[in-house]
Each structure stands twice: as structure tokens, then as C-alpha cells.
Amino acid sequence: MHPTRRLLVASSLALAFFTHGGAAAADKIPVTASFSILGDLVRVVGGERVALTTLVGPDEDAHTFAPKPSDAKALLNTRLLVTNGLGFEPWAQKLAKSAGYKGDTVIASKGVPARHMAPEKGQGGHAHAETDPHAWQNPHNVVIYVRNIATGLSKVDPSGTSSYQANAEAYVKELLALDTWAQAQFSGIAVAKRKVITSHDAFGYFGAHYQITFLAPQGVSTEAEPSAKQVAQLIRQIQREKIRAVFVENMSNPKLVAQLSKDAGATVGASLYSDALSGADQPGATYLQMVRHNVTQLAAGMRLN
């Protein structure tokens, strides 16, 4: 082949490759998830059809998150916003409104039986005072989450419906298998021994599902600071009930629980993952890994009680 013609053919192939690649990238559905756990669920259900942005990343606290101008800009390019709901991230709705977001929104927890709690002293009218937003701590609730996400993705991308539904139902099988495994880990521990101290009260759904009592000095939100009287009461309860299972969370300040365990004579165990996934190099990088890690650590801690 003549050198000139060979150069023209090579250039045409390169142009075709980059044009096709650019089209493929442009064809992906831009989706924004409010925080890392939802981001993982969107990643699983959306697969290769989705270009995902997660606002609150691994090891970050969605309770205290303050959106930046860049977050508003990212939202304007999004076709679907996925939030938890149940009062978990009120900043997400404010961000969408201030950014002029016109796309669709999925509230992942829609249809989940919410846990309602008595208002805690010192929280006043805080959004978390009565409704526990941490519904993802029960794998059966996450079944509802992923099906809601699949429905939302199908609405903005009808041609991908079969893919989204298949991904969601395959993941549902993994969630149910995870729950069966978790039940087996706790089955050998007497219910009276299933008592745990954590940084803040993020495991209510988990505790109700697996019959575990969680005690927390900080309440449902990490924004709420416990009073000295509340901490003293908790120390007395730990000592009275001989609780040895004490854990901090990856997005919490460990000083409070460390001091609590010192005063009560308990030992702080490994970090748990509650409101955020871990980085890729840690054991809570996906929702499935997070739950497996938490179950393993909690079961080991409760055996010390």
C-alpha cells in the first residue's frame, strides 16, 4: 500500500475509534448519589450504562456534609439524583433547589418501614429526632433500595430497563444470602449477650433485625453532642450489664467512645462502618463487604460480654 494511503487509512481508523469511544462515554447516563453507600448500590444496578458521581465519599460524614459550588455544577449535568430520604440528607434537597436541578429524583428508602423513635433530649427539633434514617443497616431494606434505583434508572433510560432489572435481581439474591449468613453468625450468641456500644445510634434497623441492643452516647445524628449526665448514665449501664463490646465508626471522632470505654473498663474493638463505606484498601469498600465486616466484628465483640 502506498505510504500516503496507509496514513489516510490509519487516520480514519483512529478517528473512528475515538469518535466511537466518545459516543460511548456520552451515551452513559449521568447519575448522582448523595453518599457512598447509595453510590455503591447505583454502581451495581447501573453497571456500564451509568456514569456515577457520589457527593459524600468514603469515610465522610453525610450528617455534617456541606455542599460546594462544584457539587451544584455536577448536579446540573445529572439526569437522576438518588437520595436516601427519611431525613438523612436534608442538604440534598436544598442543593437541588439552589442548583436549579430539573432531573428526576429517586428516594431509595421509599416503601421501607421506617423506625420511629422518641425525641432525644438536647436535640430539639432536629430532623433525626423521631425517624431513624439508617434503613440500609437491614439487608432486606436494601432489597427495596435497589429495586427503587432500578425503577428510577429505567425511567430515565428505558432502553436499559432489562439490564437494570437483571442487575437488581441478581443483587437481591446476594443480599438475601448475606442476611442468611449474618443470622448464622449471631445464632450461637444468647440474646441477653447481644449488647454493644457504638459511637452514634446508627444501627437501629440492624439491631431490630438481628435482636441486638445498641447503646450510643451520641444519638441518631453525629451532630448531637451527649451531655455529661447522659455519658455518666451510659457508663453505669455498661458497668451494670458488664458490656465489653465497644466500637467506633469510620466517620466518627473516636475520642468519646475511647474515653467511655476507659471509664467503664471496656475494650474498643475494630472500627465499624455505619453511614459511609471505607476506602478501597479497607474492609468496607462495598455494601456487601461493609456488612460482612460489621457482622464479624460485632459477633466477636459480643462473645466477650
Side-chain angles (χ1 to χ4, degrees):
M1 183 183 293
H2 191 278
T4 302
R5 177 161 177 76
R6 186 160 53 242
L7 178 61
L8 288 171
V9 170
S11 299
S12 298
L13 289 172
L15 179 61
F17 174 81
F18 285 113
T19 301
H20 175 75
D27 287 344
K28 290 194 174 189
I29 306 301
V31 179
T32 296
S34 60
F35 71 115
S36 58
I37 293 172
L38 285 187
D40 183 55
L41 302 182
V42 172
R43 177 189 60 80
V44 171
V45 177
E48 293 298 319
R49 299 184 69 90
V50 165
L52 175 66
T53 297
T54 302
L55 296 176
V56 186
D59 296 319
E60 295 182 355
D61 189 353
H63 288 285
T64 59
F65 179 71
K68 305 178 293 296
S70 58
D71 296 320
K73 183 178 180 181
L75 199 55
L76 285 177
N77 297 319
T78 290
R79 291 184 60 188
L80 185 67
L81 171 63
V82 182
T83 67
N84 182 74
L86 298 177
F88 180 67
E89 67 280 78
W91 49 262
Q93 288 73 36
K94 294 177 183 177
L95 174 64
K97 183 176 181 179
S98 64
Y101 174 65
K102 303 299 183 183
D104 285 70
T105 298
V106 167
I107 299 175
S109 65
K110 182 179 179 181
V112 168
R115 294 182 70 253
H116 296 286
M117 305 166 62
E120 298 177 24
K121 293 180 180 180
Q123 286 193 328
H126 192 277
H128 294 276
E130 295 182 357
T131 301
D132 184 347
H134 307 90
W136 61 84
Q137 290 294 348
N138 180 342
H140 283 267
N141 290 342
V142 179
V143 169
I144 298 174
Y145 276 44
V146 297
R147 286 174 174 161
N148 285 338
I149 291 169
T151 299
L153 287 170
S154 298
K155 182 179 179 182
V156 299
D157 179 27
S159 63
T161 297
S162 60
S163 175
Y164 299 137
Q165 297 296 334
N167 290 345
E169 293 311 310
Y171 193 63
V172 164
K173 292 180 180 178
E174 292 191 77
L175 290 167
L176 297 179
L178 174 70
D179 179 56
T180 299
W181 170 83
Q183 296 281 8
Q185 305 312 300
F186 296 131
S187 63
I189 303 171
V191 173
K193 296 287 186 180
R194 299 183 192 180
K195 295 178 181 178
V196 178
I197 308 296
T198 55
S199 308
H200 86 291
D201 197 4
F203 292 92
Y205 292 88
F206 189 102
H209 186 60
Y210 296 113
Q211 293 183 282
I212 299 170
T213 298
F214 284 86
L215 304 172
Q218 214 171 348
V220 179
S221 171
T222 55
E223 293 179 298
E225 289 293 335
S227 67
K229 182 179 179 180
Q230 289 171 314
V231 172
Q233 289 174 337
L234 187 54
I235 289 173
R236 287 195 294 272
Q237 185 174 8
I238 293 170
Q239 293 171 331
R240 182 174 63 251
E241 299 183 20
K242 297 182 172 57
I243 299 173
R244 295 289 176 267
V246 178
F247 298 91
V248 295
E249 294 145 45
N250 61 319
M251 26 60 67
S252 298
N253 186 329
K255 291 182 180 179
L256 177 60
V257 170
Q259 184 63 41
L260 194 68
S261 64
K262 178 182 177 183
D263 293 344
T267 301
V268 178
S271 292
L272 300 179
Y273 300 100
S274 59
D275 295 7
L277 298 179
S278 71
D281 59 339
Q282 296 298 315
T286 69
Y287 176 79
L288 297 178
Q289 291 174 350
M290 176 190 84
V291 175
R292 282 189 171 273
H293 170 82
N294 287 348
V295 168
T296 300
Q297 297 304 322
L298 287 166
M302 288 187 292
R303 291 189 185 102
L304 300 175
N305 289 341

